Structures are given as C-alpha cells and as structure tokens.
C-alpha cells in the first residue's frame, strides 16, 4: 500500500500520515447497532412527524442513512428551532435525548414553534463509540460553510458535516434557535484527546473532566439570560459542573455558573452552522457517580424544554 510520509510539526513530534490513520481505523469495531438503537426509533416517529432521509454516509450507505425530522403542518410564521445530536456519535444522550424530546414532549409546542431535528449526524461514530469519523476527522471541527462552497481545502471537512449543511441550507438563515446536544466523558481524557495529540504531533496536556452539566455559548453573542435560564431548568434533573481551581471548565473561563463560550463559527462547530440568534451546545457528564443513562437523556430533554420555555 502506498502511504503518505508522516509530517512533522514545529515541536518535532511526527504527525499521523495515511498509515497511522489506517492503523487507527483497523482498531475500531462496531459496538452497538445504529439500526436497532436509533433508526428503529426514528421509524416510529413517522406516525407523528415528517421524517426524511438526507443521504447516507459513503463509508457504508446501507448501514448509515441520515435523517431529518420535522413537525407536520410547518407554519412559516413560527420560529424555527433546530436540534442536533450525535455530531459526536459516542455521545449517546444527545442522540437519545433528541429522539426522546420528539417522542414525549414536542406535541406540547404545537402551534408555537417549527422543529427540525437531526438526531444522529455521525452514525458510524454512534456504532463504534467514536468521536472521529473513519478518516480521523472530528465532525465537530468541520462545519465550515466554505467547504461546501468549495472555498476551503476538503482536508478540513467531513462528510457528516457537509451533508448536514447541504440538507439544511434552504432553512439555515431562518433558524431562530439551535441547540446541539453533546456529552463530556471520561473517554475524552483517556482515549480521544490522547489520539488527537498523537494525530497532530502535540505533547499531551492534562485536563480535568468537569463533574456535571455545562453549556457552551457563542463568544460573539453569549445570550447570558437565556443560558442562565437553561442552567436553572437542567439543575432540576442533574447537577451543574463547578469551575476548576483556575475558574475554568475544560480550559475556558466561566462566563457565569455552568457556562463557557467558544468562537463557534471559526472553530467549525456544529452550533455555529446557522445564523440563529440563540446558538447553544449542551454538555452532559455521563460518567459521574451521580448520573445514569436515563438522567443524562432527561438532562438533554430538559435543556431543550428550558430553551423553549425561555423563548415562549
Ligand atoms: Zn461532543
């Protein structure tokens, strides 16, 4: 097999080339079923929602269809709420939380909002419990509009992000609020961050995993009042992450209790993919001794509902 020679970075650790990437991929395996845990549940939603397929991952088009779910009786006069999950496929409660919200709560908001929901943007990552896609790309660093316009090198892109951006392009300027459902896990520190450092030829830097729920807002439009409202709502379901000794969560200073802000667009984050007034990322901590799978799903649902209550 031909391989691209490994690059070297300024601090002289070698970056991964094609060989290392293929070795990484060879170590991954399917650990759960996207069909059984996700697609079958989406099928059941067809009774009450418009379900459409916006493509499939080229990696295996049979196994990895991609879905968008909208409410019936779309009303152009109502604000559009975008809910995304499974941008990081391993973050289970984001996927299951989006589905649970639709199944059990969305009916209450009939006539108040339009919903467009992508419950699992990275189905290969869901099945193999991975942060990256099969090509060692983090989908949540690849939501660059310029990629689908052909203005940016495709190396920075991911099929997961590109297909989703194309699927929502007709409505992305009309989205009023976007909530992207994530988790921060112990495997970030134990597995995914070490792999990222190895891939990019960087020295590892220790990072504390915050014990509890937190939100990531937009540096350019932080919507502090809304964020505080969501934290208050989620706190009824699960505990909120405290700041570390430096007053930070995952290296970023708190803007208020349980909230940090990121430059969503320049980092290529999914939450920066629309021009929505409210752009929010949730972070649930499933590995806490105080959390269960069910608490984590309920925390995601509570995040969505608190946002909607705030907007009502
Ligand atoms: Zn994530």
């Amino acid at each position: 097999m031909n391989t691209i020679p490994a690059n070297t970075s300024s601090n002289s650790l070698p970056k991964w080339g094609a060989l290392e990437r293929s070795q990484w991929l060879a170590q991954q395996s399917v650990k759960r079923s996207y069909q059984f845990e996700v697609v079958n549940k989406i099928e059941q939603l067809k009774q009450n929602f418009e379900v459409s397929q916006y493509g499939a991952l080229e990696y295996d088009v049979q196994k990895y269809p991609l879905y968008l779910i909208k409410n019936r009786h779309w009303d152009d006069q109502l604000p559009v709420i975008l809910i995304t999950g499974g941008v990081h496929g391993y973050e289970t409660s984001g996927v299951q939380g989006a589905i649970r919200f639709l199944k059990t709560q969305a009916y209450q908001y009939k006539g108040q909002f339009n919903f467009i929901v992508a419950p699992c943007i990275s189905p290969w990552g869901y099945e193999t419990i991975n942060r990256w896609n099969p090509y060692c790309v983090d989908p949540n660093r690849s939501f660059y509009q310029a990629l689908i316009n052909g203005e940016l090198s495709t190396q920075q892109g991911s099929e997961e992000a590109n297909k989703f951006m194309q699927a929502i392009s007709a409505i992305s300027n009309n989205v009023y609020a976007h909530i992207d459902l994530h988790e921060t896990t112990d495997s970030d520190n134990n597995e995914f961050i070490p792999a990222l450092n190895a891939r990019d030829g960087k020295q590892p830097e220790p990072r504390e995993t915050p014990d509890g729920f937190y939100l990531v807002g937009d540096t350019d439009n932080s919507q502090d009042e809304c964020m505080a409202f969501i934290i208050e709502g989620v706190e009824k379901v699960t505990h909120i992450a405290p700041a570390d000794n430096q007053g930070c969560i995952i290296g970023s200073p708190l803007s208020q209790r349980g909230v940090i802000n990121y430059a969503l667009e320049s980092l290529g984050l999914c939450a920066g993919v629309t021009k929505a007034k409210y752009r929010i990322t949730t972070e649930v901590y499933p590995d806490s001794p105080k959390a269960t799978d069910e608490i984590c799903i309920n925390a995601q649902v509570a995040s969505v509902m608190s946002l909607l209550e705030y907007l009502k």
Side-chain angles (χ1 to χ4, degrees), residues 88 90-91 131 140 182-183 283:
H88 289 137
Y90 69 111
E91 295 171 5
R131 185 175 176 86
N140 208 31
H182 284 253
E183 294 180 344
E283 295 285 351

Side-chain angles (χ1 to χ4, degrees), residues 177-244:
H178 175 194
I179 185 160
D180 187 31
L181 310 179
H182 284 253
E183 294 180 344
T184 299
T185 65
D186 287 348
S187 56
D188 289 342
N189 261 350
N190 303 337
E191 180 183 351
F192 301 128
I193 293 173
L196 175 67
N197 287 324
R199 184 196 71 182
D200 295 345
K202 288 182 179 160
Q203 297 286 358
E205 283 174 31
R207 192 183 88 174
E208 212 174 286
T209 304
D211 182 355
F213 176 92
Y214 64 99
L215 290 171
V216 183
D218 182 0
T219 307
D220 299 325
N221 182 12
S222 59
Q223 295 292 357
D224 298 325
E225 196 185 275
C226 174
M227 300 300 253
F229 193 86
I230 297 173
I231 290 289
E232 228 174 88
V234 174
E235 194 163 28
K236 292 171 188 149
V237 176
T238 193
H239 58 294
I240 305 304
D244 63 18

Side-chain angles (χ1 to χ4, degrees), residues 9-312:
S9 64
S10 54
N11 61 4
S12 82
L13 284 171
K15 286 185 185 179
W16 284 6
L19 175 64
E20 290 83 0
R21 286 166 192 258
S22 65
Q23 286 170 339
W24 176 85
L25 180 59
Q27 289 165 9
Q28 309 312 313
S29 60
V30 169
K31 297 186 175 74
R32 56 186 177 180
S33 168
Y34 173 61
Q35 176 70 42
F36 184 71
E37 295 185 17
V38 182
V39 177
N40 289 358
K41 291 179 184 174
I42 291 173
E43 288 292 329
Q44 288 170 10
L45 293 172
K46 284 181 176 172
Q47 292 170 7
N48 296 309
F49 296 89
E50 299 287 340
V51 176
S52 61
Q53 192 184 332
Y54 64 92
L57 293 186
E58 298 295 331
Y59 190 74
D60 188 332
V61 292
Q62 296 302 321
K63 267 183 101 176
Y64 302 122
L66 301 161
Y67 294 100
L68 277 182
I69 302 156
K70 291 184 192 173
N71 53 289
R72 293 209 174 123
H73 314 296
W74 190 271
D75 181 348
D76 284 333
Q77 303 303 313
L78 298 178
V80 176
I81 309 297
L82 173 63
I83 303 168
T84 45
V87 171
H88 289 137
Y90 69 111
E91 295 171 5
T92 312
S93 69
V95 178
Q96 299 300 336
I99 292 170
R100 181 76 62 87
F101 168 76
L102 287 170
K103 190 177 171 189
T104 66
Q105 304 296 338
Y107 73 93
Q108 297 180 48
Y109 302 96
K110 193 178 171 193
Q112 298 179 72
F113 299 102
N114 291 314
F115 293 108
I116 180 160
V117 181
C120 190
I121 287 177
S122 299
W124 182 85
Y126 188 91
E127 281 209 325
T128 62
I129 312 193
N130 262 304
R131 185 175 176 86
W132 286 343
N133 73 6
Y135 310 100
C136 303
V137 174
D138 182 339
N140 208 31
R141 296 293 183 280
S142 65
F143 284 85
Y144 293 107
Q145 220 41 253
L147 276 168
I148 51 174
N149 300 335
E151 296 156 14
L152 203 65
S153 156
T154 49
Q155 275 184 341
Q156 286 169 272
S158 73
E159 192 189 359
E160 291 82 357
N162 290 356
K163 288 199 162 140
F164 176 71
M165 285 190 288
Q166 274 159 346
I168 63 153
S169 60
I171 61 112
S172 61
N173 286 337
N174 302 329
V175 174
Y176 185 58
H178 175 194
I179 185 160
D180 187 31
L181 310 179
H182 284 253
E183 294 180 344
T184 299
T185 65
D186 287 348
S187 56
D188 289 342
N189 261 350
N190 303 337
E191 180 183 351
F192 301 128
I193 293 173
L196 175 67
N197 287 324
R199 184 196 71 182
D200 295 345
K202 288 182 179 160
Q203 297 286 358
E205 283 174 31
R207 192 183 88 174
E208 212 174 286
T209 304
D211 182 355
F213 176 92
Y214 64 99
L215 290 171
V216 183
D218 182 0
T219 307
D220 299 325
N221 182 12
S222 59
Q223 295 292 357
D224 298 325
E225 196 185 275
C226 174
M227 300 300 253
F229 193 86
I230 297 173
I231 290 289
E232 228 174 88
V234 174
E235 194 163 28
K236 292 171 188 149
V237 176
T238 193
H239 58 294
I240 305 304
D244 63 18
N245 293 337
Q246 278 81 47
C248 293
I249 288 177
I250 60 162
S252 293
L254 267 70
S255 64
Q256 59 177 310
R257 192 172 72 100
V259 183
I260 58 173
N261 290 315
Y262 271 21
L264 302 179
E265 283 180 53
S266 59
L267 286 168
L269 300 179
C270 181
V273 80
T274 72
K275 298 293 179 196
K277 182 173 178 184
Y278 299 91
R279 304 194 292 187
I280 299 152
T281 302
T282 67
E283 295 285 351
V284 166
Y285 180 48
D287 299 315
S288 171
K290 291 185 261 181
T292 62
D293 293 351
E294 191 62 16
I295 287 172
C296 293
I297 293 170
N298 289 336
Q300 302 285 17
V301 174
S303 302
V304 175
M305 291 179 68
S306 300
L307 169 65
L308 299 174
E309 292 302 317
Y310 179 79
L311 298 177
K312 257 169 46 173

